Amino acid sequence: MPPILSKETEHNFNRVCEDYLHILDSYQQGLYNVRIIHHVIWRALRPSSIVLHHRAGSRVERQLRMLQSNGSSDVDYKFEVSGIQVDVSKSNSPNMYFKASCECSDAKNAYGILYVPSSLKTALLSNDEYKRIFNDTFRISSDSKAEFILRPDIFKENVVGECGFQIKRGNQKKTSPSIAVKGAKNETDAVPCLKLNNWTNDALLWVTRDPVFPMFNIKWKQRIVDKMSLYVVPTGNKRSQQFEIEWRLSFVFVEKACFDRIAEYKPRIRHLFGLAKFIFKCCLEELDIFSSYHLKTVLFWKCETKPAESWDSIKPLSFILELISSLETCLDTTTIKHFFIPDCNIFPFDKLDENSVGEIRRRFASVKEVMMERIMTTIAFDLKVNGTLEMSEWIREIDTILKTRKEQGIDEGYISGYLTRLHSMIVHSLLENHRAGTLKESVNALQNILLEERDGSSLCDELVERMIPMLAPSIHTLSEKNIYKFRILSVSEMHREGIVI
């Protein structure tokens, strides 16, 4: 059973949690521009030009990330094959087109098959760049000899191979659109994708669904549809007989826009969701039934149906229990409504069996018992406090440290960790370009980014000035003939001298 707390102690525990989340979020948001620079450099130094690298997932959504003491996080990327036109209907188009295919009535609008006209297949395989991606990906359609079906499995591996990643064999899930790969520093979940020309008719119904409360209102939704594209990713519905050749609609950048809206409308929701997601990962994720995407979907529905003032008064522990309880209700009803597609149920039927239901219910029941202990242990580890302290003493210790952290701002160790990852990624990318014979071009691109992609903040200025001397030895080593120099000057000196390599 969870500890019985006095009202005062529970109030103080919630307050300390909220203070900790606020400071942790200020650290993470303070370095957000550094992560953006990381991605800008990564994209600019890719040897392959036809695959666009989009950061995705919780970091781009600017969710607060709270990790267990032994926890780690990976990086999510969408790898878009550029220059490919994918229509949402055939309409006698010469382009590839997406056609709904899943027989399941509660999922048919989210899944489809990609059909490729024979003339387009020939054109793709005749192009030196596209040939590497589309080789062996076509299978003749049973509906028409003039059309082919694009195979998602081969497409996935070809795109990742084109991007120069090493696939982690034996670590792949057939039901997932992603491929686990090894990159420069972080482990990466790579999701190859193709962009749709338009939103599907079913997805457009999201715009006209008038919310009970105005966070995601119709006017805002229409702006999102006007400026953001949908994608298809290579995975099918496990209950469909055509699972192995199906693709799924992806709303990845629309979801980012939803989180941006949440941050604008009620920023504390981001903090509290980070805490709820932490508890989910501690207690429920290893069951491999529900995913953090299901939890995020539950949050979106609550943002559309709860009054704004309810977010101002809800406490961290209550917020966790509300989201976890809603997920438990989904288990009872075997229903999780897709947030964007009407009449679509994303409940993981393929992972549920009679033997697992009992354990899942027991695990849900245990959340209330263990969540405070998990939170205390993790915060204590992060702040280097004795994790075995009694509650009242723990609160006093944490209060003291949080006050100091708030006064000091982001500490050097936190910044250095980001610098180390950034340095590792850049050196890895320069080595790739060296092997491809494009080192000089990549160094030019790197210097332009370091000089131009700053937001004027002291942190980003400091980042650039510290990165230059860290990178110079690697660049000089790779440039065997030493025919150009990467100057070790401050940013102000570079601007003054107008240096271009």
Side-chain angles (χ1 to χ4, degrees):
M1 292 293 292
I4 299 174
L5 305 176
S6 67
K7 286 187 177 180
E8 182 182 4
T9 301
E10 184 174 349
H11 168 77
N12 286 332
F13 183 83
N14 276 309
R15 176 184 54 76
V16 167
C17 284
E18 195 130 25
D19 288 346
Y20 172 76
L21 294 173
H22 182 78
I23 291 175
L24 182 63
D25 189 62
S26 70
Y27 269 44
Q28 294 177 4
Q29 299 307 316
L31 283 167
Y32 181 73
N33 289 318
V34 177
R35 297 204 301 272
I36 292 299
I37 289 175
H38 183 116
H39 178 53
V40 168
I41 293 174
W42 172 258
R43 287 188 64 167
L45 301 191
R46 293 304 85 222
S48 174
S49 59
I50 64 168
V51 179
L52 303 180
H53 295 231
H54 304 291
R55 281 290 292 270
S58 61
R59 297 185 184 190
V60 171
E61 293 168 350
R62 300 181 79 162
Q63 295 178 23
L64 179 141
R65 292 177 296 113
M66 183 172 169
L67 300 175
Q68 300 181 65
S69 57
N70 60 345
S72 61
S73 61
D74 54 20
V75 177
D76 296 327
Y77 271 99
K78 282 285 191 294
F79 291 164
E80 176 195 345
V81 180
S82 63
I84 302 296
Q85 302 290 312
V86 181
D87 294 335
V88 295
S89 63
K90 186 176 182 179
S91 62
N92 299 318
S93 170
N95 299 323
M96 197 179 300
Y97 69 94
F98 175 80
K99 181 179 178 182
S101 62
C102 184
E103 306 96 334
C104 306
S105 60
D106 59 358
K108 62 182 181 181
N109 298 329
Y111 296 88
I113 294 173
L114 289 181
Y115 292 91
V116 183
S118 178
S119 57
L120 177 59
K121 169 182 174 285
T122 300
L124 291 172
L125 295 182
S126 300
N127 181 287
D128 288 339
E129 288 186 299
Y130 285 119
K131 179 169 61 178
R132 297 193 296 270
I133 289 174
F134 290 98
N135 189 41
D136 294 329
T137 61
F138 299 106
R139 142 180 161 180
I140 195 161
S141 170
S142 58
D143 299 327
S144 169
K145 292 183 179 180
E147 288 184 328
F148 291 81
I149 289 172
L150 185 62
R151 293 181 55 184
D153 53 346
I154 306 299
F155 175 85
K156 274 202 304 188
E157 295 206 4
N158 286 358
V159 172
V160 171
E162 176 68 12
C163 294
F165 282 91
Q166 180 183 352
I167 297 174
K168 295 175 66 178
R169 298 294 177 186
N171 202 29
Q172 312 301 331
K173 294 182 179 179
K174 196 172 182 180
T175 56
S176 173
S178 67
I179 294 184
V181 298
K182 296 178 181 178
K185 180 71 176 176
N186 297 86
E187 291 190 353
T188 301
D189 274 345
V191 181
C193 64
L194 293 165
K195 184 190 291 186
L196 292 179
N197 282 353
N198 297 292
W199 283 49
T200 66
N201 290 333
D202 294 300
L204 284 171
L205 294 175
W206 173 65
V207 179
T208 57
R209 186 181 75 219
D210 201 1
V212 179
F213 294 98
M215 189 180 298
F216 300 141
N217 59 58
I218 290 178
K219 186 176 181 181
W220 174 81
K221 290 179 181 179
Q222 187 59 61
R223 290 201 303 270
I224 297 304
V225 170
D226 290 343
K227 69 181 182 180
M228 292 192 172
S229 299
L230 300 188
Y231 291 77
V232 287
V233 296
T235 188
N237 187 303
K238 197 66 180 294
R239 295 180 290 149
S240 171
Q241 294 182 2
Q242 303 188 87
F243 161 75
E244 293 188 349
I245 58 172
E246 285 179 338
W247 299 67
R248 189 187 73 208
L249 287 176
S250 172
F251 294 78
V252 59
F253 298 112
V254 185
E255 291 160 10
K256 177 187 180 302
C258 288
F259 261 98
D260 288 343
R261 179 68 168 170
I262 289 171
E264 170 192 348
Y265 207 81
K266 289 293 174 185
R268 77 186 294 263
I269 297 175
R270 266 194 315 105
H271 304 174
L272 298 178
F273 182 70
L275 185 63
K277 188 173 175 181
F278 164 74
I279 293 298
F280 168 84
K281 287 182 174 293
C282 288
C283 303
L284 299 171
E285 188 176 53
E286 66 177 345
L287 294 173
D288 195 29
I289 302 295
F290 295 113
S291 69
S292 56
Y293 183 79
H294 294 127
L295 191 70
K296 180 166 71 173
T297 300
V298 168
L299 175 71
F300 284 166
W301 279 110
K302 287 189 176 295
C303 288
E304 186 164 288
T305 56
K306 284 172 65 73
E309 58 270 17
S310 67
W311 298 111
D312 297 327
S313 58
I314 192 168
K315 303 300 182 185
L317 294 179
S318 298
F319 183 91
I320 295 170
L321 292 177
E322 181 173 336
L323 254 64
I324 297 298
S325 296
S326 296
L327 202 57
E328 187 174 13
T329 299
C330 295
L331 177 65
D332 296 333
T333 61
T334 62
T335 301
I336 304 176
K337 294 192 297 181
H338 197 291
F339 188 64
F340 303 102
I341 302 177
D343 303 320
C344 180
N345 183 6
I346 61 172
F347 187 88
F349 291 99
D350 58 295
K351 296 183 176 181
L352 195 66
D353 58 55
E354 293 182 2
N355 297 326
S356 62
V357 171
E359 174 58 26
I360 298 169
R361 293 193 187 283
R362 284 190 291 272
R363 194 64 68 88
F364 270 111
S366 72
V367 170
K368 295 179 183 179
E369 300 177 17
V370 304
M371 66 178 185
M372 291 183 63
E373 177 190 345
R374 296 295 178 90
I375 292 170
M376 289 179 67
T377 301
T378 300
I379 294 179
F381 179 84
D382 184 26
L383 301 183
K384 299 178 176 56
V385 170
N386 183 351
T388 63
L389 295 174
E390 292 294 326
M391 175 72 76
S392 58
E393 190 175 353
W394 180 87
I395 289 173
R396 284 196 297 271
E397 289 282 339
I398 300 300
D399 265 336
T400 301
I401 295 173
L402 291 179
K403 182 180 179 181
T404 302
R405 282 206 171 186
K406 187 175 181 180
E407 293 171 351
Q408 291 177 343
I410 300 176
D411 67 26
E412 173 62 26
Y414 202 74
I415 297 172
S416 296
Y418 276 84
L419 281 172
T420 299
R421 288 192 289 272
L422 182 59
H423 177 262
S424 177
M425 179 276 293
I426 294 176
V427 171
H428 173 86
S429 298
L430 291 173
L431 181 59
E432 286 183 314
N433 281 278
H434 173 64
R435 290 169 178 163
T438 55
L439 178 61
K440 186 170 184 177
E441 293 82 356
S442 66
V443 173
N444 277 324
L446 173 61
Q447 179 167 282
N448 288 334
I449 291 168
L450 291 178
L451 291 175
E452 296 173 6
E453 290 291 336
R454 296 175 298 121
D455 70 341
S457 71
S458 59
L459 178 61
C460 286
D461 285 349
E462 179 185 358
L463 167 97
V464 172
E465 296 202 16
R466 290 170 63 177
M467 285 304 301
I468 290 172
M470 290 171 69
L471 290 167
S474 297
I475 293 173
H476 292 165
T477 299
L478 290 173
S479 177
E480 296 172 346
K481 295 182 180 180
N482 205 28
I483 59 174
Y484 60 97
K485 297 288 186 181
F486 189 76
R487 298 288 299 276
I488 307 177
L489 298 175
S490 69
V491 172
S492 58
E493 288 173 321
M494 283 188 164
H495 275 301
R496 188 169 58 250
E497 297 191 17
I499 293 174
V500 177
I501 298 173

